[in-house]
Amino acid sequence: MKSHPKSHPLSASPSSASKSAVDRRQWLSYAAFGGAAIAAGSSQAATVATAASPNQTQPKYKFKKSINLWAFPYPDKMSLKECLQLAKDAGFDGIELNYDLDSDLSPKSGTKEFTEIRKMADEIGIAISGVCSFLFWPYPLTSNDPAERARGMELAGKMTQAAHDLGTENLLVVPGAVHMPWREDHDPTPNDVCDQRAREAIGKLLPQAEKLNVKLNMENIFFNGFLMSPMEMADFVDSFQSEHVRVHFDTGNIMEYQFPEHWIPILGDRIQNVHLKEYTKKGTDHSLEAFRPLLDGTTNWPAVLEAFDTIGYDGYLTFEYFHPYAHFPEALIYQTSDSLDRMLGKEQPRLT
């Protein structure tokens, strides 16, 4: 493995030098749930997936397997090419790449560089399943700070072009935030103002997305305080009357108080792409640590997979995880691929 320098830290508020700088993994940690979340009690109704009996046949699903780049020690210990090759070797159909401020996928690169990455992936034999980014947190599209909003729009436009150049039609978009408890400097945006600004922002991004044939996929979060129910998400997406505004559904982001198998039938064919995140309701730490390796949680995966199948979803299931293993990082990649094979019925369970 090659050694690479760490990314430069990103200032929490570019307009103030006095604000502390945090790197992208810190942003991810805060963005997942924030340390301010109230620990859920043991009385929460946790639906736990049960193993099939030895006499039961595991359903077989045709979903495509994908994994997010955050599960790899990139760029500290592995190059992008090494990550793509490892994902391919482990049996994934696709890999989701992350747009940053200082990496192979950043404003420092352009069409030429992204086209080269696309060619590299083609030669390796793995698809780029989508593009996502943590940058919607330091630069929210609905911020009360006009400079943050403007920078967020600029970056979202660059991401749209990058997705096109990388050969994927999927761009994850966080449309707005009422509040971000992990950002002490964030000025809360009133709900109605957040909704108005989010609709205006997506409306302005839409013409470019339609021209480039890139889908702007709205992600369900939870602690951003916006689009808190599947009905709200459906209404928001439908209001644009465009096939280029869809949903990036995240199974883990709503698990603290809700259940993904309840959202999926309501969102239906609006779902364009999926983050498959494992979550445990058994713990008391409702931060990033609540997200677990696949199958090491309380998600009712048989119900979730059946729900996806029922609505006719046939796209990527992308495992998203923020803790590359410190030692033998390839183990996480292979373990996840094996878990997905068993979940999708490619490997029949062997119970004794």
Side-chain angles (χ1 to χ4, degrees):
M1 295 183 186
K2 299 178 182 178
S3 178
H4 297 269
K6 293 185 178 180
S7 300
H8 293 294
L10 170 67
S11 173
S13 175
S15 62
S16 175
S18 63
K19 302 283 195 311
S20 61
V22 295
D23 64 25
R24 59 180 178 168
R25 293 203 184 279
Q26 285 177 296
W27 274 112
L28 291 167
S29 298
Y30 302 149
F33 284 101
I38 299 175
S42 59
S43 61
Q44 280 186 310
T47 305
V48 181
T50 55
S53 70
N55 297 324
Q56 247 180 343
T57 301
Q58 168 74 17
K60 293 187 176 182
Y61 299 105
K62 297 181 179 179
F63 310 126
K64 292 179 283 188
K65 294 164 52 180
S66 174
I67 188 166
N68 184 279
L69 188 60
W70 281 318
F72 299 75
Y74 167 82
D76 299 341
K77 297 180 180 179
M78 293 182 69
S79 69
L80 182 58
K81 183 176 182 180
E82 288 171 330
C83 294
L84 296 178
Q85 187 65 60
L86 175 55
K88 171 65 177 179
D89 292 345
F92 286 94
D93 302 300
I95 185 169
E96 184 178 57
L97 302 181
N98 307 312
Y99 194 90
D100 206 336
L101 288 181
D102 186 28
S103 70
D104 294 300
L105 296 109
S106 74
K108 296 182 178 181
S109 299
T111 295
K112 178 178 180 294
E113 290 78 13
F114 294 136
T115 302
E116 290 174 353
I117 292 173
R118 176 181 181 178
K119 180 180 178 182
M120 179 170 62
D122 288 342
E123 291 174 349
I124 290 172
I126 191 165
I128 296 174
S129 60
V131 173
C132 74
S133 178
F134 77 101
L135 293 173
F136 290 106
W137 300 122
Y139 305 108
L141 302 180
T142 56
S143 173
N144 291 332
D145 183 343
E148 283 189 357
R149 291 204 307 273
R151 180 61 168 154
M153 290 293 293
E154 177 190 7
L155 290 169
K158 290 180 181 293
M159 293 177 207
T160 305
Q161 183 67 53
H164 168 77
D165 296 339
L166 289 164
T168 180
E169 63 177 359
N170 292 314
L171 173 63
L172 183 152
V173 177
V174 179
V178 170
H179 185 41
M180 290 181 279
W182 56 90
R183 269 191 63 179
E184 294 181 1
D185 65 320
H186 183 252
D187 182 23
T189 305
N191 295 68
D192 56 340
V193 176
C194 180
D195 184 73
Q196 177 186 349
R197 288 176 180 166
R199 292 175 189 271
E200 290 175 354
I202 301 305
K204 290 178 180 178
L205 293 171
L206 187 53
Q208 179 194 19
E210 290 177 334
K211 179 181 178 181
L212 297 176
N213 193 30
V214 171
K215 302 287 178 31
L216 304 176
N217 301 324
M218 307 297 112
E219 187 183 28
N220 56 290
I221 310 293
F222 187 78
F223 268 86
N224 62 342
F226 184 51
L227 303 179
M228 300 284 285
S229 74
M231 289 76 73
E232 290 175 287
M233 177 67 83
D235 175 75
F236 184 85
V237 168
D238 291 348
S239 69
F240 296 97
Q241 299 182 341
S242 172
E243 65 177 11
H244 288 83
V245 180
R246 314 304 292 161
V247 173
H248 187 117
F249 183 67
D250 190 302
T251 63
N253 283 351
I254 57 172
M255 273 287 290
E256 184 166 4
Y257 299 115
Q258 301 188 47
F259 301 88
E261 62 268 31
H262 298 168
W263 280 58
I264 296 167
I266 298 172
L267 295 177
D269 61 8
R270 300 176 184 85
I271 298 176
Q272 171 69 22
N273 213 354
V274 170
H275 269 166
L276 215 63
K277 280 220 293 283
E278 183 63 274
Y279 182 89
T280 179
K281 294 190 177 195
K282 292 183 177 180
T284 57
D285 179 4
H286 295 271
S287 68
L288 199 68
E289 303 305 321
F291 296 119
R292 309 296 303 149
L294 200 56
L295 300 182
D296 184 27
T298 57
T299 308
N300 187 346
W301 289 119
V304 169
L305 295 173
E306 182 180 0
F308 280 129
D309 188 56
T310 298
I311 66 170
Y313 181 76
D314 60 359
Y316 289 101
L317 300 180
T318 299
F319 175 67
E320 186 186 30
Y321 192 62
F322 310 107
H323 299 302
Y325 286 178
H327 306 290
F328 309 104
E330 70 280 1
L332 173 64
I333 314 305
Y334 278 96
Q335 288 166 6
T336 302
S337 181
D338 179 76
S339 295
L340 274 169
D341 282 344
R342 296 174 190 281
M343 292 165 65
L344 301 183
K346 296 181 180 182
E347 292 282 350
Q348 291 300 315
R350 300 171 189 166
L351 302 180
T352 57

